[in-house]
Amino acid sequence: MAEVERALFDHAVSPSPYVTEAARHLLSAGGKRFRPLLVLLAAEAGADPGCEGVLTAACVVEITHVGSLYHDDVMDEAALRRGADSANSRWDNHVAILTGDWLFAKSSELTARLGADAVSIQAATFTRLVEGQILEGVEPTGDPLQHYLDVVAGKTGSLIATSARYGARFSGTSPEVEEALTAYGEIVGSAFQLSDDILDIVSDSEESGKTPGTDLREGVPTLPVLMALASTDPADARLLELLRADLSDDALHAEALGLLREHPALDQARAYVVARAQEAKALLDVLPQGPVRTALEDFADVVAVRSS
């Protein structure tokens, strides 16, 4: 990953020092580097995991992701990102939006180095990512939980699926392995977001670095909340009332968080995420037993039960 880290900063350079500073702002703030890590892991299934194409692909997916964060922070009016001032807070919305656009352009430049097929894959991925973002703000017309899962698949699963596809493709795996790892990445990517939903409810702020109940306070629907809202048990009346209320009041927020932590929906959500991880691991049957398959299985497990 050290080589990827160096390459990311090398690519985030403009003739203008101002643009370089803005583009590197969130890169410097760190992050899990989940997407480039999956590129590198998937590449180990091929004959040439250390090739230049794999390194370039790892940069493509992370730069695309970071570009989306600049836009997310504007839409969410976020003041912080990864413990640092968000770009819109440090500068303004105008700079943040254009910096996100600049990073998307840079990821497109890098994708072009990988060939026409990679450009097509990246375009389809970006379409899904933006559609997921749009749908997040749309009232569901059918099952609210399925609507939410579709949003997660678009916003998060799509780019993580492409991370696995790129790693497999540019390291020289067979088409069968590439498709299996792409499907694996789609599932693991959604599980990654859904495990975040659980962390929002159960996290200890000192351990996870997250403020418990942030999504709950902001009225953002998440997996445990949607599962709780589906309850028809009269004993859940108070919780359902709170989940449909304005939780900006600290006392109401604390009450809702406490009730949700004790509700069966939380274990139901955990079980759902673990089941998705198991589903992803089953797709790895195309790989021989060995360290690569084990690493990918462990990766899915860590995503499902992570605490930060």
Side-chain angles (χ1 to χ4, degrees):
M1 282 297 293
E3 190 176 4
V4 172
E5 200 74 22
R6 288 192 297 271
L8 284 170
F9 283 87
D10 288 345
H11 292 310
V13 173
S14 163
S16 164
Y18 183 86
V19 174
T20 299
E21 180 187 5
R24 287 179 167 178
H25 178 63
L26 288 186
L27 284 173
S28 300
K32 297 178 180 66
R33 304 292 194 244
F34 183 90
R35 292 151 189 83
L37 177 58
L38 184 54
V39 173
L40 300 184
L41 278 177
E44 292 295 327
D48 192 8
C51 71
E52 186 65 28
V54 168
L55 176 61
T56 299
C59 292
V60 164
V61 295
E62 184 65 6
I63 290 173
T64 301
H65 170 60
V66 172
S68 74
L69 298 183
Y70 281 79
H71 288 188
D72 281 352
D73 288 345
V74 171
M75 289 184 288
D76 297 342
E77 299 180 347
L80 295 173
R81 169 67 70 173
R82 296 173 171 174
D85 291 341
S86 63
N88 45 298
S89 176
R90 179 169 176 174
W91 292 284
D92 56 30
N93 285 349
H94 180 79
V95 170
I97 291 169
L98 290 176
T99 302
D101 290 346
W102 186 91
L103 287 165
F104 290 145
K106 183 58 65 173
S107 72
S108 296
E109 282 183 19
L110 293 174
T111 305
R113 299 182 188 179
L114 298 172
D117 284 350
V119 171
S120 178
I121 291 167
Q122 182 74 353
T125 302
F126 197 55
T127 297
R128 288 190 61 204
L129 192 157
V130 175
E131 284 178 349
Q133 185 74 64
I134 293 169
L135 287 174
E136 187 175 37
V138 174
E139 286 293 322
T141 55
D143 178 11
L145 178 56
Q146 186 56 55
H147 177 88
Y148 177 67
L149 293 174
D150 290 341
V151 167
V152 169
K155 279 188 62 179
T156 306
S158 60
L159 187 57
I160 294 175
T162 294
S163 301
R165 181 183 292 280
Y166 277 165
R169 173 167 295 210
F170 295 111
S171 67
T173 69
S174 68
E176 179 189 18
V177 169
E178 180 183 327
E179 290 307 316
L181 289 180
T182 302
Y184 163 92
E186 177 91 20
I187 296 170
V188 168
S190 292
F192 181 79
Q193 177 58 56
L194 297 175
S195 65
D196 250 7
D197 291 356
I198 296 167
L199 283 174
D200 183 63
I201 304 302
V202 305
S203 66
D204 178 289
S205 57
E206 290 185 5
E207 178 184 357
S208 69
K210 299 175 182 293
T211 301
T214 299
D215 289 335
L216 189 65
R217 185 184 295 276
E218 294 176 356
V220 177
T222 60
L223 184 64
V225 169
L226 289 167
M227 287 180 164
L229 285 169
S231 172
T232 57
D233 186 342
D236 292 333
R238 177 56 177 167
L239 174 59
L240 299 185
E241 178 187 1
L242 288 167
L243 292 180
R244 295 184 176 109
D246 179 358
L247 295 179
S248 57
D249 178 84
D250 287 345
L252 293 178
H253 176 263
E255 183 184 0
L257 188 61
L259 289 172
L260 193 55
R261 283 174 168 171
E262 298 299 322
H263 195 272
L266 194 57
D267 285 335
Q268 186 183 356
R270 287 191 181 106
Y272 180 86
V273 175
V274 169
R276 295 308 316 269
Q278 292 299 118
E279 184 182 343
K281 287 161 63 176
L283 292 165
L284 301 175
D285 286 347
V286 297
L287 298 176
Q289 292 288 350
V292 175
R293 180 168 166 176
T294 299
L296 288 165
E297 288 172 341
D298 290 346
F299 191 72
D301 287 336
V302 168
V303 165
V305 298
R306 65 197 179 94
S307 60
S308 64

